[in-house]
Amino acid sequence: MSAVSGAQPKMNLVEEGGRFYAPGTSPCEVLAVFQMCDDLVSQMVPYCQRKLATYEGNQETTVKAALKGLLAKQWCTDAQCVWIMRRVVDELQWAVGDGAFQSDQPDGV
C-alpha cells in the first residue's frame, strides 16, 4: 500500500523498463508471484503423495484437505491456492473433479 500527498487525484504506478504498471502487475512482480506458486506446487506434490494414505487412497479428499491447509496458511490468494492445487493434480495425474477445488468459505473460490 502507498500514499501520495496532494489535493489532485493520484494514481500509484510502478515503472519497469520504461513502462508503467499498476502495483503488483509489473512483469517482475508477476514473475515473482508465479515463481512462489510454482515452488509451492513442487512442495505440494510430495506432500499430497504422502497424505494420500491418510485419506485411504481417496485423491479428491486428499486434494480438498491440502487445499484447505494451503488456504489457511494465507501465503497467497485463494485463486492462487486453487491454481497451485490444479497444477498439483495435473502433475500427479489424479482424476479429481472440480468439487475438490471449492473452498468451504461462504463466497467460494
Side-chain angles (χ1 to χ4, degrees):
M1 184 179 292
S2 62
V4 181
S5 64
Q8 298 296 323
K10 306 287 190 292
M11 179 186 282
N12 188 23
L13 297 174
V14 175
E15 188 273 331
E16 184 178 312
R19 294 189 175 198
F20 295 91
Y21 302 90
T25 65
S26 73
C28 282
E29 292 168 316
V30 171
L31 180 60
V33 170
F34 173 79
Q35 289 172 333
M36 178 200 60
C37 291
D38 194 51
D39 180 59
L40 285 171
V41 169
S42 69
Q43 295 177 50
M44 294 301 290
V45 166
Y47 175 81
C48 287
Q49 288 171 322
R50 287 191 312 272
K51 286 297 185 180
L52 187 60
T54 303
Y55 297 101
E56 300 174 354
N58 188 317
Q59 296 170 347
E60 189 156 331
T61 302
T62 302
V63 171
K64 283 182 180 182
L67 175 59
K68 183 177 179 181
L70 191 57
L71 288 165
K73 301 268 190 238
Q74 296 184 334
W75 289 332
C76 47
T77 68
D78 289 0
Q80 290 165 342
C81 289
V82 169
W83 181 87
I84 289 164
M85 291 310 301
R86 285 187 185 277
R87 288 271 316 274
V88 168
V89 166
D90 286 346
E91 288 197 22
L92 292 170
Q93 297 180 344
W94 286 359
V96 173
D98 283 340
F101 303 105
Q102 301 298 314
S103 72
D104 294 332
Q105 298 170 358
D107 58 347
V109 173

